[in-house]
Amino acid sequence: MYKKDYMKAWRERNRDKILVMRKKTRDKLRADVIGAYGNQCNCCGEKEYKFLGMDHMNGSGNKHRHEIGKHSSQAFYSWLRKNK
């Protein structure tokens, strides 16, 4: 019980630090996945990183995310990296 209480208090004291670490992790994951797909859009050839993302043709990406049980972008990117 002591460790659980300690960790809860630590998280409360370091909320900003945790948010920064999570953002770095998300950003690296996104960069890894987009890099694995060639750092450009397969449809139009767009290379500007801020415009790139992972989705399916004809808007079926949301359906696929729900089928594999990955609703957030981060969970979906993790799934993509794991399943190559």
Side-chain angles (χ1 to χ4, degrees):
M1 191 67 144
Y2 170 77
K3 184 176 181 180
K4 184 178 178 182
D5 294 337
Y6 172 81
M7 291 304 297
K8 181 178 180 182
W10 185 90
R11 284 191 303 273
E12 289 172 3
R13 286 190 316 270
N14 294 284
R15 182 162 174 73
D16 292 339
K17 186 180 204 178
I18 292 169
L19 293 175
V20 168
M21 291 183 332
R22 286 180 182 170
K23 182 176 180 350
K24 284 182 182 180
T25 300
R26 277 193 318 270
D27 291 348
K28 177 159 179 11
L29 175 61
R30 181 175 185 266
D32 289 349
V33 170
I34 289 174
Y37 283 86
N39 290 310
Q40 73 177 29
C41 177
N42 288 335
C43 295
C44 67
E46 176 66 60
K47 293 181 181 181
E48 184 68 37
Y49 182 77
K50 64 183 175 185
F51 296 124
L52 298 175
M54 302 306 300
D55 206 344
H56 289 77
M57 303 287 288
N58 303 320
S60 64
N62 195 36
K63 179 182 173 190
H64 183 230
R65 286 180 190 200
H66 287 282
E67 287 173 357
I68 62 173
K70 306 301 179 193
H71 304 285
S72 73
S73 293
Q74 185 172 359
F76 184 56
Y77 286 171
S78 294
W79 182 89
L80 285 171
R81 185 169 57 183
K82 181 180 177 183
N83 290 280
K84 301 185 189 294

